[in-house]
Amino acid sequence: MKDVAVIGAGMTLFRRRLKETGKELSFLAAKMALEEAGIQKSDLDMVVMGSAPDAFDGIHMKGENLIDGAAAAGKPYVRVFNGGGTGVFAPIAGWWHVASGVADIVMVVCEEKMGSCYPHPQTAFRHIWDPIIDRPLNPNLIWLFAMEMNRYMTVYNIKKEDIARVAVKNKRNAVGHPCAQLADPNITIDDVLNSEVMAWPVQRLDVSPPSDGASALIYCSKDKVHQFTDDPIWVDGVGWGIDSTMWTNRDLCFPRYVATAAKMAYKMAGITNPPKDIDFAEPYDPFDYKELHHMEGLLLCKKGEAPILTREGVTQRDGDLPICPSGGLLGVGNPIAATMGQKVCEVYWQLAGKAGKRQIPGDPRVGVGQAWGDIMQMATVIVLRR
Amino acid sequence: MTEKKEQKESYPKYAPGTHVHDKDIYERKITYTWWEPEVQYSWSLGPAMSRFLQELKAGKIIGIKCNRCRRVIVPPRMFCEYCYGPTSDWVYLKDTGTVETFSLSYLDADARRIEEPILIGVISIDGASPKHGFMHYFGEMKPEELKIGMKVKAVWKPENEREGSITDIKYFKPFRGGEE
Ligand SMILES: [Zn+2]
C-alpha cells in the first residue's frame, strides 16, 4: 500500500438554500482545493464524487450530472454513496485510488443540495424507511433519532442538559468558520432546553439544519508529494462498517458498527490507546447526542462517559480532547456528503496549523474524522497524521 | 514554529456561494424551475413478510427461528443475516412486549407541526429473542405515562377491518399482568 498525503482542501458557504447549482457548488469547492494545492484540473489523475440520496437534488443518478463541476469530464470518475456516511466514505474511496497505486493525484468532491427538495427535505427522507413494516406507520425521520437518543439517555442515565452542552459548544466553535450556517457566540444551555420540542427528546436546537454546500479534498502519493509541500499531512488509517438494516433487532444505546470501523482504522494507524493516541476528533454530529454516541463508538471514552467529559470541558477546543473544533454539523451546517468539509478538510487544516481562529492550541499531530448514516447502521472513519 | 503558524492564512480562506431565502422563491426574485415527480410503487413482499402480514390479519404475531444462533426473530426473514443460512421454524409469539424506546412526536410525516403528540416507539415482543421487535404506536395512555421498560399489549383492529398490514395492530396499550 502506498502512503497518501492531503495537499489541499476547499468548501463553499453552507446555507439552507444556495443560488448556485450542484455543479457550480462542486466547481467552487474544487477550485478552492486546487488553489491550495497549487495544481490544475490537468494535474488530476482521477476524481471521486460523494453525494447522498438522489431524492434531495431530484436528479436521479446525480453523480453523472455533477461530473463537469467536479473537474472529472474526460477522467476516470466514480461516485460513492452510503447516506450520511458519505462525507467520510468519499475520502476513503479517494484514498484507495492512491494507496493502490492506480493514481498519484486524486480529487474528492462532495456535494449536496437539500434545498431543492421542496418545501422540506423531510419529504424525501420518508423514502428511506422500510416500505413493508415502517412506512405504513407514516414515520418522520426525526423519530428514529428521538428513539435512539431516548434509549441512550435512559440506559446511561444521561441528563438532557449534558447533551445540550454539545450543541452550545459546536455552535460557539463555528463562530470562527467563514462557511458556518448556525454559528452563535451567545447560545446557552437554556436556549437549547427551551427550544421547540420536535419529537421528544429531540428539540429544535439539538438538530443540525438541512443545507446546500460542497467540499473538496486533494490527495497525492508519497512519490510526488515533495513537489507540493515539505510538511505533508498523511492519511494514516481508514475504516468502515455497517450493521443489519433491522434496527429494531438491536440495542440502540451503543453504535457497535462505529467501533468496528474505528478498530479497522486504528489498527491501520497503529493506534492502541485511542484517548491517548488521538489529539482531537470530528465525530459526526447531526444531533448533539450523536457526538457523544460517536465518541463512545470511536472508543475515545467508556460507554456513557462522553457527557461527563463534555460537562468537564475536556471536549472544548482548548480541552484535553477537543471534539468538533470546526463547529461540526450543528454549527457549520449539514449538507450531508459535503460535511467532508468539517469531518476531513477540518482535520487536515487543523493538523496543518491552518485553521486560524479555530486552531486547536498546542501541537495536534493525530486527528480523527467520522461520519454515520443509513438506518442507524453505517460508520466511516479516517485518521490523519502530521 | 509557533510564530510561523500565526503568520499562516486561515482556511477556508473565503466562503463562495450565494444565500437565497424562501421568499426569494415565493416572490420570484430568483430564476428557478419546478418539477413534481409522479411515481408509484407496488412491492411484492416475499415469503417471510407475506406470512407475517397474513398472520397479523388473523390477529397473531409470528416470528421465525434460526437454528444456528437460536434467535427467534421478528420481523421474520427467510435467512439469518448473521449466520447467513436459511431460517427454519415459524414460531407464534405473544401480542405483548416491552417498550425498548419511544418518542413523543410533535411532527407529522412531512415535518408539519401537530398539537397532540404521536406516541411512537420500539416494542420487543414476548416470545422473541431479547431486543427483537418492531416500531409501532402507543395508545390508551397519557404521554407522561410512557416509559422505557413498561409492558404493553397490542390493540387490534376489528377482524373485518384488517388487511394484512402492520396497521392491523392499532397501537400498543399499557399491559397489566393477568389481563387478556
Ligand atoms: Zn442465526
Side-chain angles (χ1 to χ4, degrees), chain A residues 12-13 17-20 32 35-36 118 122 126 131-132 137 140 143 146-147 150-151 154 178 196 198-200 204 243-244 246 248-249 256 349 352 354 356 358, chain B residues 8 10-12 14-16 18-20 22 26 34 43 45 74-75 77 81-82 100-111 113 120 131 133 135 137 148 166:
Chain A
T12 65
L13 193 66
R17 284 191 182 82
L18 291 171
K19 186 175 183 179
E20 289 77 8
M32 190 189 289
E35 281 167 10
E36 187 184 344
Y118 216 76
Q122 274 297 338
R126 291 177 69 174
I132 307 170
L137 298 169
N140 182 298
W143 292 4
M147 289 187 280
N150 193 5
R151 181 81 198 159
T154 305
E196 177 195 9
M198 300 172 80
W200 193 92
R204 162 71 52 201
D243 209 334
S244 161
M246 305 307 290
T248 61
N249 292 174
R256 61 190 187 197
W349 284 321
K354 291 177 167 182
R358 306 183 313 284
Chain B
K8 277 184 184 170
S10 179
Y11 287 72
Y14 55 103
T18 314
H19 188 196
V20 294
D22 257 6
Y26 294 135
W34 193 266
W43 289 283
L45 300 189
V74 69
R77 34 246 194 214
E81 67 273 23
Y82 294 114
E100 292 293 332
T101 188
F102 69 88
S103 172
L104 314 174
S105 180
Y106 294 86
L107 296 178
D108 74 4
D110 289 314
R113 303 295 179 271
I120 188 81
K131 310 291 170 204
M135 178 170 69
Y137 302 121
I148 288 177
I166 189 69

Coordinates of all heavy atoms in Angstrom, one line a residue, chain A residues 12-13 17-20 32 35-36 118 122 126 131-132 137 140 143 146-147 150-151 154 178 196 198-200 204 243-244 246 248-249 256 349 352 354 356 358, chain B residues 8 10-12 14-16 18-20 22 26 34 43 45 74-75 77 81-82 100-111 113 120 131 133 135 137 148 166:
Chain A
T12 N -17.6 25.4 0.2 CA -18.4 26.5 -0.1 C -19.0 27.0 1.2 O -19.0 26.3 2.2 CB -19.5 26.2 -1.1 OG1 -20.4 25.3 -0.4 CG2 -19.0 25.6 -2.4
L13 N -19.7 28.1 1.1 CA -20.7 28.5 2.1 C -21.7 27.4 2.3 O -22.1 26.7 1.4 CB -21.4 29.8 1.6 CG -22.2 30.7 2.5 CD1 -21.4 31.3 3.5 CD2 -23.0 31.7 1.6
R17 N -30.4 27.3 1.6 CA -30.5 27.3 0.1 C -29.4 28.1 -0.4 O -29.2 29.3 0.0 CB -31.9 27.8 -0.4 CG -33.0 26.8 -0.2 CD -34.2 27.2 -1.0 NE -35.3 26.3 -0.8 CZ -36.1 26.3 0.3 NH1 -35.9 27.3 1.2 NH2 -37.0 25.4 0.5
L18 N -28.7 27.6 -1.5 CA -27.8 28.4 -2.2 C -28.3 28.6 -3.6 O -28.9 27.7 -4.2 CB -26.4 27.8 -2.2 CG -25.7 27.8 -0.8 CD1 -24.4 26.9 -0.9 CD2 -25.3 29.2 -0.3
K19 N -27.9 29.7 -4.2 CA -28.4 30.0 -5.6 C -27.7 29.1 -6.6 O -28.3 28.7 -7.6 CB -28.1 31.5 -5.9 CG -28.6 32.0 -7.2 CD -28.4 33.5 -7.3 CE -29.0 34.0 -8.6 NZ -28.8 35.4 -8.7
E20 N -26.5 28.8 -6.4 CA -25.7 28.0 -7.3 C -26.2 26.6 -7.5 O -26.7 26.0 -6.6 CB -24.2 28.0 -6.9 CG -23.5 29.3 -7.0 CD -23.8 30.3 -5.9 OE1 -24.4 29.9 -4.9 OE2 -23.4 31.5 -6.0
M32 N -11.2 25.9 -5.0 CA -10.5 26.3 -3.7 C -9.5 25.3 -3.4 O -8.3 25.6 -3.0 CB -11.5 26.5 -2.6 CG -10.9 27.1 -1.4 SD -11.9 27.1 0.1 CE -13.2 28.3 -0.3
E35 N -6.6 25.5 -5.8 CA -5.7 26.7 -5.4 C -4.8 26.4 -4.3 O -3.6 26.7 -4.3 CB -6.6 27.8 -5.0 CG -7.3 28.6 -6.2 CD -8.4 29.5 -5.8 OE1 -8.6 29.7 -4.5 OE2 -9.1 30.0 -6.7
E36 N -5.3 25.7 -3.2 CA -4.5 25.5 -2.1 C -3.3 24.5 -2.4 O -2.2 24.7 -2.0 CB -5.3 24.9 -0.9 CG -4.4 24.8 0.4 CD -5.1 24.2 1.6 OE1 -6.3 24.1 1.6 OE2 -4.3 23.8 2.5
Y118 N -38.6 20.4 -2.1 CA -39.5 21.5 -1.6 C -40.8 20.9 -1.0 O -41.3 19.9 -1.5 CB -39.8 22.4 -2.8 CG -40.0 23.8 -2.4 CD1 -38.9 24.6 -2.2 CD2 -41.2 24.4 -2.2 CE1 -39.0 25.9 -1.7 CE2 -41.4 25.7 -1.8 CZ -40.3 26.4 -1.6 OH -40.4 27.7 -1.1
Q122 N -37.5 16.7 4.4 CA -38.1 15.6 5.2 C -38.9 14.7 4.2 O -39.1 13.5 4.4 CB -39.0 16.1 6.3 CG -38.3 16.4 7.6 CD -37.6 15.2 8.2 OE1 -38.1 14.1 8.0 NE2 -36.6 15.4 9.0
R126 N -38.7 10.4 3.8 CA -39.7 9.4 4.0 C -39.4 8.1 3.3 O -39.8 7.1 3.6 CB -41.1 9.9 3.6 CG -41.6 11.0 4.5 CD -42.9 11.5 4.0 NE -44.0 10.5 4.1 CZ -45.2 10.8 3.8 NH1 -45.6 12.0 3.4 NH2 -46.1 9.9 4.0
P131 N -40.4 -0.2 3.3 CA -41.8 0.0 2.8 C -42.8 -0.9 3.4 O -44.0 -0.6 3.3 CB -41.7 -0.2 1.3 CG -40.4 -1.0 1.1 CD -39.5 -0.7 2.3
I132 N -42.4 -2.0 4.0 CA -43.3 -3.1 4.4 C -43.8 -2.8 5.8 O -45.0 -2.7 6.1 CB -42.7 -4.5 4.3 CG1 -42.2 -4.7 2.9 CG2 -43.8 -5.5 4.7 CD1 -41.3 -6.0 2.8
L137 N -46.8 3.2 8.9 CA -47.0 4.0 10.2 C -46.7 5.5 9.9 O -46.8 6.3 10.9 CB -46.0 3.5 11.3 CG -46.3 2.0 11.7 CD1 -45.1 1.5 12.6 CD2 -47.6 1.8 12.4
N140 N -41.8 9.9 10.5 CA -40.9 11.1 10.3 C -39.5 10.6 10.7 O -39.3 10.0 11.7 CB -41.3 12.3 11.1 CG -40.5 13.5 10.8 OD1 -39.3 13.5 11.1 ND2 -41.2 14.5 10.4
W143 N -38.1 10.7 14.2 CA -38.5 9.7 15.1 C -37.3 8.8 15.5 O -37.1 8.4 16.6 CB -39.6 8.9 14.6 CG -40.9 9.6 14.5 CD1 -41.2 10.9 14.7 CD2 -42.2 8.9 14.1 NE1 -42.5 11.1 14.4 CE2 -43.1 10.0 14.1 CE3 -42.6 7.6 13.7 CZ2 -44.5 9.7 13.7 CZ3 -43.9 7.4 13.4 CH2 -44.8 8.4 13.4
A146 N -34.9 10.4 17.7 CA -35.5 10.6 19.0 C -35.5 9.3 19.8 O -35.2 9.3 21.0 CB -36.9 11.1 18.8
M147 N -35.8 8.2 19.1 CA -35.9 6.9 19.8 C -34.5 6.4 20.2 O -34.3 5.9 21.3 CB -36.5 5.9 18.9 CG -38.0 6.1 18.7 SD -38.9 4.8 17.8 CE -38.5 5.2 16.1
N150 N -33.4 8.7 23.2 CA -34.0 8.3 24.4 C -33.4 7.0 25.0 O -33.2 6.9 26.2 CB -35.5 8.1 24.1 CG -36.4 8.0 25.4 OD1 -35.9 8.2 26.5 ND2 -37.7 7.7 25.2
R151 N -33.2 6.1 24.1 CA -32.6 4.8 24.6 C -31.2 5.1 25.2 O -30.9 4.6 26.3 CB -32.4 3.9 23.4 CG -31.8 2.5 23.7 CD -32.9 1.5 24.3 NE -32.2 0.4 25.0 CZ -32.7 -0.3 25.9 NH1 -34.0 -0.1 26.3 NH2 -32.1 -1.3 26.5
T154 N -31.5 6.9 28.5 CA -32.1 6.1 29.6 C -31.1 5.0 30.1 O -31.0 4.9 31.3 CB -33.4 5.4 29.1 OG1 -34.3 6.5 28.6 CG2 -34.1 4.7 30.2
P178 N -15.8 30.6 8.4 CA -16.4 31.5 7.4 C -17.6 30.9 6.7 O -18.4 31.7 6.1 CB -15.3 31.8 6.4 CG -14.3 30.7 6.6 CD -14.4 30.3 8.0
E196 N -38.1 24.6 20.7 CA -39.3 23.8 20.4 C -39.0 22.3 20.4 O -38.0 21.8 19.9 CB -39.7 24.2 18.9 CG -40.9 23.5 18.4 CD -41.0 23.7 16.9 OE1 -40.1 24.2 16.3 OE2 -42.0 23.3 16.3
M198 N -39.5 18.9 19.0 CA -39.9 18.3 17.7 C -40.4 16.9 17.8 O -41.5 16.6 17.5 CB -38.7 18.3 16.7 CG -38.2 19.7 16.5 SD -36.6 19.8 15.6 CE -37.2 19.6 13.9
A199 N -39.6 16.0 18.4 CA -40.0 14.7 18.7 C -39.2 14.4 20.0 O -38.1 14.1 19.9 CB -39.8 13.7 17.6
W200 N -39.9 14.5 21.1 CA -39.2 14.3 22.4 C -38.4 13.1 22.4 O -38.9 12.0 22.1 CB -40.1 14.4 23.6 CG -39.4 14.6 24.9 CD1 -39.1 15.7 25.5 CD2 -38.8 13.5 25.7 NE1 -38.4 15.5 26.6 CE2 -38.2 14.2 26.7 CE3 -38.7 12.1 25.6 CZ2 -37.5 13.5 27.7 CZ3 -38.0 11.4 26.5 CH2 -37.4 12.1 27.6
R204 N -35.5 21.5 18.8 CA -35.1 22.3 17.6 C -33.5 22.5 17.6 O -32.9 22.2 16.6 CB -35.8 23.6 17.6 CG -35.2 24.7 16.7 CD -35.3 24.5 15.3 NE -36.6 24.2 14.8 CZ -36.9 23.6 13.6 NH1 -35.9 23.3 12.8 NH2 -38.1 23.4 13.3
D243 N -24.0 -2.4 9.9 CA -24.7 -3.4 10.6 C -26.0 -3.7 9.9 O -26.4 -3.0 8.9 CB -25.0 -3.0 12.1 CG -25.1 -4.2 13.0 OD1 -25.4 -5.3 12.6 OD2 -24.8 -4.0 14.2
S244 N -26.8 -4.7 10.4 CA -28.0 -5.1 9.7 C -29.0 -3.9 9.7 O -29.0 -3.0 10.5 CB -28.7 -6.2 10.6 OG -30.0 -6.3 10.3
M246 N -32.0 -4.2 10.1 CA -33.1 -4.5 11.0 C -32.8 -3.8 12.4 O -32.5 -4.4 13.4 CB -33.3 -6.0 11.2 CG -33.5 -6.7 9.9 SD -34.8 -6.1 8.8 CE -36.2 -6.5 9.8
T248 N -34.7 -2.5 14.6 CA -35.5 -2.8 15.8 C -35.1 -4.2 16.4 O -35.8 -4.7 17.3 CB -37.0 -2.8 15.4 OG1 -37.2 -3.9 14.5 CG2 -37.4 -1.5 14.9
N249 N -34.0 -4.8 15.9 CA -33.5 -6.0 16.5 C -32.1 -5.8 17.1 O -31.4 -6.7 17.3 CB -33.3 -7.1 15.4 CG -34.7 -7.6 14.8 OD1 -34.7 -8.4 13.9 ND2 -35.8 -7.1 15.3
R256 N -22.3 -0.1 17.7 CA -21.2 -1.1 17.6 C -20.6 -1.0 16.2 O -19.4 -1.4 16.1 CB -21.7 -2.5 17.9 CG -22.8 -3.0 17.0 CD -23.4 -4.3 17.6 NE -24.4 -4.8 16.6 CZ -25.3 -5.8 16.8 NH1 -25.4 -6.2 18.1 NH2 -26.1 -6.2 15.9
W349 N -6.9 20.8 7.9 CA -6.5 22.2 8.2 C -5.9 22.3 9.6 O -4.9 23.1 9.9 CB -7.6 23.1 8.0 CG -7.9 23.4 6.5 CD1 -7.0 23.6 5.6 CD2 -9.2 23.6 5.9 NE1 -7.7 23.9 4.4 CE2 -9.0 23.8 4.5 CE3 -10.5 23.5 6.4 CZ2 -10.0 24.0 3.6 CZ3 -11.6 23.7 5.5 CH2 -11.3 23.9 4.1
A352 N -2.4 20.9 9.8 CA -1.5 21.8 9.0 C -1.3 23.1 9.7 O -0.6 24.0 9.2 CB -2.0 22.0 7.6
K354 N -3.5 25.5 9.9 CA -4.1 26.5 9.0 C -5.5 26.9 9.4 O -6.3 27.5 8.7 CB -4.2 25.9 7.6 CG -2.8 25.8 6.9 CD -3.1 25.1 5.5 CE -1.8 25.2 4.7 NZ -2.1 24.7 3.3
G356 N -6.7 28.9 11.6 CA -7.0 30.3 12.0 C -7.6 30.4 13.4 O -7.1 29.9 14.4
R358 N -10.0 28.9 14.6 CA -10.5 27.7 15.1 C -9.3 26.8 15.5 O -9.5 25.6 15.9 CB -11.3 26.9 14.0 CG -12.5 27.7 13.4 CD -13.3 26.9 12.5 NE -12.5 26.1 11.5 CZ -11.9 26.7 10.4 NH1 -12.0 28.0 10.2 NH2 -11.2 25.9 9.6
Chain B
K8 N 0.4 32.1 9.2 CA -0.3 31.3 8.1 C -1.7 31.9 7.9 O -2.3 32.4 8.9 CB -0.4 29.9 8.5 CG 0.8 29.1 8.1 CD 0.6 27.6 8.4 CE 1.8 26.8 8.1 NZ 1.7 25.4 8.6
S10 N -5.8 31.7 7.3 CA -6.8 30.9 7.9 C -7.6 30.2 6.8 O -8.1 30.9 5.9 CB -7.7 31.8 8.8 OG -8.7 31.0 9.3
Y11 N -7.8 28.9 6.9 CA -8.6 28.2 5.9 C -9.9 27.7 6.5 O -10.0 27.4 7.6 CB -7.8 27.0 5.4 CG -6.6 27.3 4.5 CD1 -5.5 28.0 5.1 CD2 -6.6 27.1 3.2 CE1 -4.4 28.3 4.3 CE2 -5.6 27.4 2.4 CZ -4.5 28.1 2.9 OH -3.4 28.4 2.1
P12 N -11.0 27.6 5.7 CA -11.0 28.1 4.3 C -10.8 29.6 4.2 O -11.4 30.3 5.0 CB -12.4 27.7 3.8 CG -13.2 27.4 5.1 CD -12.2 27.0 6.1
Y14 N -12.0 31.8 2.1 CA -13.2 32.5 1.7 C -14.3 31.5 1.7 O -14.1 30.3 1.8 CB -13.0 33.3 0.4 CG -12.6 32.4 -0.8 CD1 -13.5 32.0 -1.7 CD2 -11.3 32.0 -0.9 CE1 -13.2 31.2 -2.8 CE2 -10.9 31.2 -2.0 CZ -11.9 30.8 -3.0 OH -11.5 30.0 -4.0
A15 N -15.5 32.0 1.5 CA -16.7 31.1 1.6 C -17.6 31.4 0.3 O -18.6 32.2 0.4 CB -17.5 31.4 2.9
P16 N -17.3 30.7 -0.8 CA -18.0 31.0 -2.0 C -19.5 30.5 -2.0 O -19.7 29.4 -1.3 CB -17.2 30.3 -3.1 CG -16.5 29.2 -2.4 CD -16.2 29.7 -1.0
T18 N -23.9 31.8 -2.9 CA -24.9 32.9 -2.7 C -26.1 32.4 -2.0 O -26.8 31.5 -2.5 CB -25.3 33.5 -4.1 OG1 -24.1 33.6 -4.9 CG2 -26.0 34.8 -3.9
H19 N -26.4 33.0 -0.8 CA -27.5 32.5 0.0 C -28.8 33.0 -0.6 O -28.9 34.2 -1.0 CB -27.3 33.1 1.4 CG -28.3 32.6 2.4 ND1 -28.5 33.2 3.6 CD2 -29.2 31.6 2.4 CE1 -29.5 32.6 4.3 NE2 -29.9 31.5 3.6
V20 N -29.8 32.1 -0.8 CA -31.1 32.6 -1.2 C -32.2 32.2 -0.1 O -32.0 31.2 0.6 CB -31.6 32.0 -2.5 CG1 -30.7 32.6 -3.6 CG2 -31.6 30.5 -2.6
D22 N -36.3 31.5 1.3 CA -37.6 31.1 0.8 C -38.4 32.1 0.0 O -39.0 31.9 -1.0 CB -38.5 30.7 2.0 CG -38.5 29.2 2.2 OD1 -37.8 28.4 1.4 OD2 -39.3 28.7 3.1
Y26 N -40.7 32.5 -3.4 CA -42.1 32.9 -3.5 C -42.3 34.1 -4.3 O -43.3 34.3 -5.1 CB -42.7 33.2 -2.0 CG -42.7 31.9 -1.1 CD1 -42.3 32.0 0.2 CD2 -43.2 30.7 -1.6 CE1 -42.3 30.9 1.0 CE2 -43.3 29.6 -0.8 CZ -42.8 29.7 0.5 OH -42.9 28.6 1.3
W34 N -39.3 24.0 -11.9 CA -40.1 23.3 -10.9 C -40.4 21.9 -11.5 O -40.6 21.8 -12.7 CB -41.4 24.1 -10.7 CG -42.2 23.6 -9.5 CD1 -43.2 22.7 -9.6 CD2 -42.1 24.0 -8.2 NE1 -43.7 22.5 -8.3 CE2 -43.0 23.3 -7.4 CE3 -41.2 24.8 -7.5 CZ2 -43.2 23.4 -6.0 CZ3 -41.3 25.0 -6.1 CH2 -42.3 24.3 -5.4
W43 N -44.9 -3.1 -4.1 CA -43.9 -4.1 -3.7 C -44.5 -5.5 -3.4 O -45.4 -5.6 -2.6 CB -43.2 -3.7 -2.4 CG -42.3 -2.5 -2.6 CD1 -41.0 -2.5 -3.2 CD2 -42.5 -1.1 -2.2 NE1 -40.5 -1.2 -3.2 CE2 -41.4 -0.4 -2.6 CE3 -43.6 -0.5 -1.6 CZ2 -41.3 1.0 -2.4 CZ3 -43.5 0.9 -1.4 CH2 -42.4 1.6 -1.8
L45 N -44.1 -8.9 -1.5 CA -43.4 -8.9 -0.2 C -42.6 -10.1 0.1 O -41.9 -10.2 1.1 CB -44.4 -8.7 0.9 CG -45.2 -7.3 0.8 CD1 -46.0 -7.1 2.0 CD2 -44.2 -6.2 0.5
V74 N -38.1 -11.5 15.0 CA -39.3 -10.8 14.5 C -38.9 -9.3 14.2 O -38.2 -8.7 15.0 CB -40.5 -10.9 15.5 CG1 -40.3 -10.1 16.7 CG2 -41.8 -10.4 14.8
P75 N -39.2 -8.7 13.0 CA -40.0 -9.3 11.9 C -39.2 -10.5 11.3 O -38.0 -10.4 11.3 CB -40.1 -8.1 10.9 CG -39.5 -6.9 11.6 CD -38.8 -7.3 12.8
R77 N -37.6 -13.2 8.6 CA -37.0 -13.2 7.3 C -36.6 -14.7 6.9 O -36.5 -15.5 7.8 CB -35.8 -12.3 7.2 CG -34.9 -12.3 8.5 CD -35.0 -10.9 9.0 NE -33.9 -10.6 10.0 CZ -34.2 -9.8 11.1 NH1 -35.3 -9.2 11.2 NH2 -33.2 -9.5 11.9
E81 N -29.3 -13.0 8.9 CA -28.3 -12.1 8.3 C -26.9 -12.3 9.0 O -25.9 -12.0 8.4 CB -28.7 -10.7 8.4 CG -28.8 -10.0 9.8 CD -30.2 -10.2 10.4 OE1 -30.9 -11.2 10.1 OE2 -30.5 -9.5 11.3
Y82 N -26.9 -12.9 10.2 CA -25.6 -13.1 10.8 C -25.0 -14.4 10.5 O -23.9 -14.6 10.1 CB -25.7 -12.8 12.3 CG -26.1 -11.4 12.6 CD1 -27.3 -11.0 13.2 CD2 -25.2 -10.4 12.3 CE1 -27.6 -9.7 13.5 CE2 -25.5 -9.0 12.6 CZ -26.7 -8.7 13.1 OH -27.0 -7.4 13.4
E100 N -38.9 -0.7 24.4 CA -37.4 -0.6 24.4 C -37.0 0.9 24.3 O -36.0 1.3 24.9 CB -36.8 -1.3 23.2 CG -36.9 -2.8 23.2 CD -36.1 -3.4 24.4 OE1 -35.1 -2.8 24.7 OE2 -36.5 -4.5 24.9
T101 N -37.7 1.7 23.5 CA -37.5 3.1 23.4 C -38.8 3.8 22.9 O -39.6 3.1 22.3 CB -36.3 3.5 22.6 OG1 -36.0 4.9 22.7 CG2 -36.4 3.1 21.2
F102 N -38.8 5.1 23.0 CA -40.0 5.8 22.4 C -39.7 7.2 22.2 O -38.7 7.8 22.6 CB -41.2 5.7 23.4 CG -41.0 6.5 24.7 CD1 -41.4 7.8 24.7 CD2 -40.4 5.9 25.8 CE1 -41.2 8.5 25.9 CE2 -40.2 6.6 27.0 CZ -40.6 8.0 27.0
S103 N -40.7 7.9 21.5 CA -40.6 9.3 21.2 C -42.0 9.9 21.3 O -43.0 9.1 21.0 CB -40.0 9.6 19.9 OG -40.1 11.0 19.6
L104 N -42.1 11.1 21.7 CA -43.4 11.8 21.6 C -43.3 12.9 20.5 O -42.6 13.8 20.6 CB -43.7 12.6 22.9 CG -43.5 11.8 24.2 CD1 -43.7 12.7 25.4 CD2 -44.4 10.6 24.3
S105 N -43.9 12.6 19.3 CA -43.6 13.4 18.1 C -44.6 14.5 17.9 O -45.8 14.3 17.8 CB -43.6 12.5 16.9 OG -43.3 13.3 15.8
Y106 N -44.1 15.7 17.8 CA -44.9 16.9 17.5 C -44.8 17.2 16.0 O -45.1 18.4 15.6 CB -44.6 18.0 18.4 CG -44.9 17.8 19.9 CD1 -44.0 17.1 20.7 CD2 -46.1 18.2 20.4 CE1 -44.4 16.8 22.0 CE2 -46.5 17.9 21.7 CZ -45.6 17.2 22.5 OH -45.9 17.0 23.8
L107 N -44.3 16.3 15.2 CA -44.1 16.5 13.8 C -44.8 15.3 13.1 O -44.8 14.2 13.5 CB -42.6 16.3 13.4 CG -41.6 17.4 13.9 CD1 -40.2 17.0 13.4 CD2 -42.0 18.7 13.5
D108 N -45.5 15.7 12.0 CA -46.1 14.6 11.2 C -45.1 14.2 10.2 O -43.9 14.6 10.2 CB -47.4 15.0 10.6 CG -47.3 16.0 9.4 OD1 -46.1 16.3 9.0 OD2 -48.3 16.4 8.9
A109 N -45.5 13.3 9.2 CA -44.5 12.7 8.3 C -43.8 13.7 7.4 O -42.7 13.5 7.0 CB -45.2 11.6 7.4
D110 N -44.5 14.8 7.2 CA -43.9 15.9 6.3 C -43.3 17.0 7.1 O -43.0 18.1 6.6 CB -44.9 16.5 5.4 CG -45.3 15.5 4.3 OD1 -44.4 14.9 3.7 OD2 -46.5 15.3 4.1
A111 N -43.0 16.7 8.4 CA -42.3 17.7 9.3 C -43.3 18.9 9.6 O -42.8 20.0 10.0 CB -41.0 18.2 8.8
R113 N -46.0 20.8 12.0 CA -46.3 20.7 13.5 C -47.7 20.2 13.8 O -48.6 20.6 13.1 CB -46.1 22.2 14.0 CG -44.8 22.8 13.7 CD -43.7 22.0 14.4 NE -42.3 22.6 14.2 CZ -41.5 22.2 13.2 NH1 -41.9 21.3 12.3 NH2 -40.3 22.7 13.1
I120 N -44.8 7.0 19.8 CA -44.2 6.1 18.9 C -43.0 5.4 19.6 O -42.4 6.0 20.4 CB -43.8 6.8 17.6 CG1 -43.3 5.8 16.5 CG2 -42.7 7.8 17.8 CD1 -44.4 5.1 15.8
K131 N -34.6 -7.9 22.7 CA -34.4 -6.7 21.7 C -34.9 -7.0 20.4 O -34.6 -6.3 19.4 CB -32.9 -6.4 21.6 CG -32.1 -6.2 22.9 CD -32.6 -4.9 23.6 CE -32.0 -4.9 25.0 NZ -32.8 -4.1 25.9
G133 N -38.0 -6.9 18.0 CA -39.4 -6.3 17.9 C -39.5 -5.4 16.7 O -38.8 -5.5 15.7
M135 N -41.3 -1.3 15.3 CA -41.8 0.1 15.7 C -43.3 0.1 15.6 O -43.9 -0.6 14.8 CB -41.3 1.1 14.7 CG -41.7 2.5 14.9 SD -40.8 3.7 13.9 CE -41.4 3.3 12.3
Y137 N -47.1 2.4 17.3 CA -47.7 3.5 18.1 C -48.1 3.0 19.5 O -48.3 1.8 19.7 CB -49.1 4.0 17.4 CG -49.0 4.5 16.0 CD1 -49.7 3.9 15.0 CD2 -48.2 5.6 15.7 CE1 -49.6 4.4 13.7 CE2 -48.1 6.1 14.4 CZ -48.8 5.5 13.4 OH -48.8 5.9 12.1
I148 N -39.7 3.7 29.1 CA -38.9 2.6 28.7 C -38.9 1.4 29.7 O -38.8 1.7 30.9 CB -37.4 3.0 28.4 CG1 -37.4 3.9 27.1 CG2 -36.5 1.8 28.3 CD1 -36.0 4.4 26.8
I166 N -49.1 -3.9 8.9 CA -48.6 -3.6 10.3 C -49.7 -2.8 11.0 O -49.8 -2.8 12.3 CB -47.2 -2.9 10.3 CG1 -46.6 -2.8 11.7 CG2 -47.3 -1.5 9.6 CD1 -46.2 -4.1 12.3

